[in-house]
Amino acid sequence: MSYLDPEFESPERRSARRGPLLMALAALVPGALLGWMVYEAVGGGGSGGSPRASVPASAVSRTSAAASWPARSASAPPFASPGDDAKAAATAGSGPLAGKVIVIDPGHNPGNFQHPTEINRQVDIGTNWKECDTTGTSTKAGYTEADFTLDVAHRLGTLLEQQGATVKLTRDGDAPPWGPCVTERAQIGNEAHADAAISIHADDSAEGDRGFHVILPGTVHAGAADTRPIVGPSHDLGARVADFFLRETRQPASNYVGEGTGLVTRTDLGGLNLSTVPKVFIECGNMRDSKDSALLTYGAWRQKAAQGLFEGIADFLNR
């Protein structure tokens, strides 16, 4: 995701409270690693491209406020597999995250390029009017942000579901064919009454600009936007996500925004302004930097990224 004139604040990074959750996560990691090894063995960790799992085009409805996480085809390789016991627990609606609803928003859409009129339509984000959506960016070799974000979203969704959570995506597969608009993406989380929502992106900046940053909602009270109830919990969620993402991926905090904290506050993003549930964005790296793009196009690293996001969200939900 690229942007102009962001509002940069440098919120003081709060240490994520680990507590008993780390013991549970420590037990999970070996199983997740085994699942990753299986996934790599069947060819799921290749560089670039869309995930190889077959996802039905009907998985997301344009008329539905929240799309349920789609069932995978029997022939689709797993993105991560902590084990049959975890899968059974998730199916039964049990596990450490049972009863929790998480909305994952994979940024952009590969079909946006074919729908310029639709995505350039202006929508009200409270503070001002912006495009419905944008095309996103890509690596210099052509691996698109839209493909990257959906792949990480699938991996993250699998990890969350295996712990009993209900996962909803704002887009999946070929549906919708473009968008959704940023206003709709926020609405999906709101109508799902999500316990947490995260929008996954990769940045578009100059060569040499490296690292990740988590975008937190600033205080907005204008028009249809009122972030005051979610600013505190969203900042808590963002700090935990940043901590665990750094630990799992070893990706450094951004060297070009956030003053080294990995945290940036903005009030110009509709997906945050219109959210009524705790929500953050993450820019996992800069697709236009050669070092970052080498990570983003590597399947094993994307699995680590999903693991870091999972641990941060789980830590927030179990606080």
Side-chain angles (χ1 to χ4, degrees):
M1 180 177 72
S2 61
Y3 51 84
L4 299 175
D5 300 322
E7 172 194 289
F8 295 142
E9 296 176 18
S10 298
E12 183 174 339
R13 189 169 185 171
R14 290 166 290 175
S15 296
R17 295 187 294 276
R18 305 296 191 264
L21 176 67
L22 284 182
M23 296 178 63
L25 290 174
L28 171 65
V29 169
L33 178 60
L34 176 60
W36 167 76
M37 293 173 65
V38 173
Y39 173 63
E40 292 294 309
V42 299
S47 297
S50 301
R52 298 159 82 176
S54 174
V55 181
S58 60
V60 178
S61 170
R62 290 285 297 163
T63 60
S64 172
S68 297
W69 179 259
R72 301 195 181 280
S73 68
S75 61
F79 290 96
S81 179
D84 292 337
D85 291 342
K87 293 179 181 178
T91 302
S94 61
L97 299 181
K100 302 296 186 181
V101 177
I102 298 93
V103 168
I104 306 174
D105 177 30
H108 310 289
N109 189 318
N112 284 356
F113 289 97
Q114 285 76 45
H115 295 272
T117 301
E118 291 87 348
I119 67 168
N120 287 326
R121 176 171 60 86
Q122 297 288 296
V123 295
D124 184 4
I125 65 167
T127 53
N128 58 291
W129 291 73
K130 292 187 72 172
E131 295 87 354
C132 159
D133 200 10
T134 62
T135 59
T137 186
S138 68
T139 66
K140 294 172 184 177
Y143 180 47
T144 68
E145 181 182 0
D147 284 335
F148 167 81
T149 62
L150 186 59
D151 180 79
V152 175
H154 282 162
R155 296 169 187 266
L156 173 58
T158 297
L159 292 170
L160 289 164
E161 282 195 326
Q162 287 167 346
Q163 295 303 301
T166 297
V167 176
K168 299 178 185 293
L169 270 71
T170 59
R171 70 171 180 90
D172 200 1
D174 296 325
W178 54 269
C181 293
V182 294
T183 50
E184 296 173 281
R185 292 173 186 264
Q187 184 182 11
I188 290 171
N190 298 344
E191 294 188 356
H193 303 289
D195 295 285
I198 187 164
S199 188
I200 302 172
H201 289 267
D203 212 356
D204 180 358
S205 191
E207 179 74 36
D209 289 349
R210 287 207 60 202
F212 79 92
H213 62 278
V214 176
I215 303 175
L216 315 171
T219 300
V220 174
H221 186 208
D226 185 2
T227 63
R228 293 175 296 176
I230 69 160
V231 165
S234 295
H235 283 217
D236 188 15
L237 170 63
R240 294 168 191 267
V241 165
D243 282 345
F244 282 100
F245 190 84
L246 173 63
R247 190 181 75 173
E248 290 298 327
T249 65
R250 302 302 178 187
Q251 170 78 318
S254 171
N255 63 6
Y256 60 101
V257 294
E259 299 182 357
T261 66
L263 300 173
V264 174
T265 299
R266 291 178 61 178
T267 59
D268 64 326
L269 297 177
L272 295 179
N273 286 1
L274 299 176
S275 181
T276 60
V277 301
K279 184 175 182 178
V280 298
F281 280 43
I282 183 166
E283 300 280 2
C284 296
N286 175 20
M287 288 196 125
R288 307 302 291 177
D289 175 76
S290 56
K291 292 181 179 178
D292 271 8
S293 65
L295 298 176
L296 299 173
T297 54
Y298 184 40
W301 187 89
R302 294 197 298 271
Q303 187 65 35
K304 291 179 180 180
Q307 183 70 32
L309 298 178
F310 161 71
E311 291 178 9
I313 292 170
D315 194 41
F316 171 76
L317 294 175
N318 286 281
R319 68 195 188 283

